[in-house]
């Protein structure tokens, strides 16, 4: 755990700004400390240093967390601008010196994080051993927002995606039916969507990411939904215990330890996974190299 010594170099001042922005984003010194790998007292002192230097109160401290004061709201966009400019400066320095160090912040969803990311990073590190990584897990819409906001440098998402992103297609991932062992559908070669409506259904869905729901909507069908969640593993566990059947992406079903049977739909359905950035021309050298690496994985 890093401590804070109060040194007032420019790079350290930027770290104060990052501590402030992270505390604002998560509403907590504790969460900011976990993310930035500092002690909670260090985060508190960095922000207190800013308040002392500027003679303002940036944050209201409460037991429930921290919130912006009116002064904090007024200064927030300027602090964001400084941090963004510092990242661009670092990118230019990295490019002048060649890719030796850097950080790649990646937004991803659970199946890619589990089954792709470990191998990707392992192989990429063989060529670039000093690159660091930050992974942020979310759904498609969250990941796309994080990229546009600059919270992450790049991310994996579903195609079609936000039109303001540059997206490279990666892979077609089949959606498969999962049923408990011994279920009447477990012996079928493949399963029609209409047959799924005869049994309690566990729906994988969150907010506007209605990938599975679209399968039924296209055929004007209403599944017998018993439960809705965005947790793939919760669905597999519940299917195993006989609460219902479901449809999940094949990628998340790899090497699963649950006692479920996976079957293709009679009319196969796929989700297309893509790798997204805001724009290539402003991407860091590390991200550009990462993109090139992914082309040939």
């Amino acid at each position: 755990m890093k401590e804070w010594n109060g040194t007032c170099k420019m790079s350290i001042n930027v770290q104060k700004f990052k501590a402030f922005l992270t505390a604002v984003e998560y509403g907590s010194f504790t969460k900011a400390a976990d993310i930035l790998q500092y002690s909670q007292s260090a985060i508190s002192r960095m922000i207190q240093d800013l308040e002392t230097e500027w003679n303002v109160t940036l944050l209201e401290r409460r037991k429930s967390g921290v919130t912006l004061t009116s002064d904090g709201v007024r200064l927030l966009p300027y602090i964001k601008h400084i941090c963004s400019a510092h990242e661009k400066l670092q990118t230019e320095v990295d490019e002048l010196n060649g890719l030796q160090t850097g950080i790649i912040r990646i937004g991803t969803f659970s199946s890619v994080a589990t089954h792709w990311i470990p191998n990707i990073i392992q192989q990429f590190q063989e060529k670039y051993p000093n690159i660091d990584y930050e992974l942020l897990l979310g759904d498609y819409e969250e990941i796309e927002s994080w990229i546009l906001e600059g919270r992450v440098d790049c991310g994996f998402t579903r195609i079609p995606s936000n039109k303001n992103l540059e997206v490279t297609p990666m892979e077609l991932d089949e959606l498969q039916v999962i049923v408990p062992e011994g279920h009447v559908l477990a012996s079928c070669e493949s399963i029609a969507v209409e047959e799924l409506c005869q049994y309690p259904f566990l729906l994988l869905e969150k907010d506007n990411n209605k990938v599975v729901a679209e399968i039924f909507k296209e055929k004007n069908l209403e599944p017998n939904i018993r439960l809705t969640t965005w947790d793939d593993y919760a669905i597999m566990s519940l299917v195993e215990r006989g609460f219902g059947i479901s449809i999940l992406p094949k990628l998340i079903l790899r090497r699963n330890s649950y006692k479920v049977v996976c079957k293709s739909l009679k009319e196969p359905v796929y989700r297309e996974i893509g790798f997204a950035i805001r724009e290539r021309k402003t991407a860091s050298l590390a991200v550009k190299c990462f993109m090139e690496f992914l082309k040939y994985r």
Side-chain angles (χ1 to χ4, degrees):
M1 184 69 68
K2 293 181 279 188
E3 267 298 333
W4 173 248
N5 62 16
T7 306
C8 293
K9 295 179 181 179
M10 181 58 189
S11 60
I12 300 299
N13 282 333
V14 171
Q15 194 58 41
K16 292 180 188 177
F17 300 153
K18 288 182 178 179
F20 169 70
L21 292 179
T22 307
V24 170
E25 181 179 357
Y26 290 93
S28 166
F29 286 163
T30 302
K31 290 181 181 177
D34 288 341
I35 291 165
L36 297 176
Q37 293 294 295
Y38 279 97
S39 64
Q40 183 178 341
S41 60
I43 296 293
S44 179
R45 287 203 302 277
M46 280 192 270
I47 294 171
Q48 191 171 15
D49 281 353
L50 290 177
E51 292 177 323
T52 301
E53 289 169 19
W54 296 342
N55 193 30
V56 296
T57 301
L58 297 170
L59 297 174
E60 291 282 353
R61 282 85 163 166
R62 299 188 178 91
K63 289 183 179 179
S64 58
V66 295
T67 56
L68 284 166
T69 63
S70 57
D71 288 341
V73 170
R74 187 170 177 178
L75 295 176
L76 180 64
Y78 299 99
I79 296 174
K80 284 183 175 179
H81 178 74
I82 290 171
C83 288
S84 176
H86 181 265
E87 288 180 4
K88 291 176 182 177
L89 171 63
Q90 189 61 56
T91 296
E92 291 299 319
V93 172
D94 288 342
E95 293 195 9
L96 288 171
N97 290 293
L99 182 59
Q100 300 297 326
T101 62
I103 184 168
I104 303 174
R105 302 170 301 167
I106 307 168
T108 183
F109 46 93
S110 59
S111 53
V112 166
T114 302
H115 299 292
W116 283 7
I117 294 291
N119 288 335
I120 288 171
I121 290 179
Q122 183 182 39
Q123 293 170 26
F124 190 69
Q125 277 200 312
E126 290 176 4
K127 190 172 183 180
Y128 304 107
N130 296 318
I131 298 295
D132 294 323
Y133 307 87
E134 177 185 340
L135 298 182
L136 201 61
L137 265 67
D139 60 46
Y140 308 128
E141 193 173 83
E142 288 172 330
I143 292 165
E144 291 169 13
S145 294
W146 293 336
I147 296 170
L148 291 170
E149 293 166 3
R151 177 67 184 85
V152 296
D153 303 305
C154 53
F156 294 89
T157 189
R158 178 197 178 202
I159 298 174
S161 54
N162 191 297
K163 64 181 180 181
N164 295 312
L165 296 173
E166 293 184 15
V167 184
T168 303
M170 294 288 296
E171 187 169 308
L172 289 176
D173 186 22
E174 183 184 358
L175 299 181
Q176 293 193 321
V177 179
I178 62 168
V179 301
E181 290 183 349
H183 192 278
V184 65
L185 295 177
S187 60
C188 297
E189 281 284 326
S190 59
I191 302 171
V193 176
E194 291 81 0
E195 294 178 83
L196 303 180
C197 297
Q198 301 173 30
Y199 307 96
F201 194 84
L202 311 180
L203 183 64
L204 183 70
E205 162 181 307
K206 182 180 178 183
D207 300 330
N208 294 321
N209 299 321
K210 302 179 180 180
V211 182
V212 177
E214 290 169 1
I215 296 173
F216 294 98
K217 186 176 180 181
E218 286 179 3
K219 291 184 173 292
N220 295 314
L221 296 172
E222 289 287 338
N224 178 20
I225 298 173
R226 174 172 286 184
L227 176 143
T228 301
T229 180
W230 190 241
D231 190 323
D232 318 87
Y233 295 101
I235 283 185
M236 284 188 273
S237 179
L238 288 165
V239 169
E240 179 186 53
R241 293 169 183 267
F243 282 90
I245 63 175
S246 190
I247 296 176
L248 291 178
K250 189 174 181 179
L251 184 59
I252 199 63
L253 297 171
R254 289 184 186 176
R255 300 195 305 273
N256 85 80
S257 59
Y258 296 94
K259 295 178 181 179
V260 297
V261 178
C262 306
K263 296 289 180 179
S264 295
L265 288 162
K266 286 187 176 178
E267 299 176 33
V269 177
Y270 301 86
R271 65 170 177 175
E272 185 172 14
I273 299 173
F275 181 75
I277 59 172
R278 186 163 45 186
E279 53 182 351
R280 186 180 180 86
K281 66 180 180 181
T282 60
S284 70
L285 181 58
V287 172
K288 287 176 182 176
C289 289
F290 191 67
M291 288 175 63
E292 286 301 310
F293 170 78
L294 288 177
K295 283 184 181 179
Y296 305 103
R297 61 174 292 277

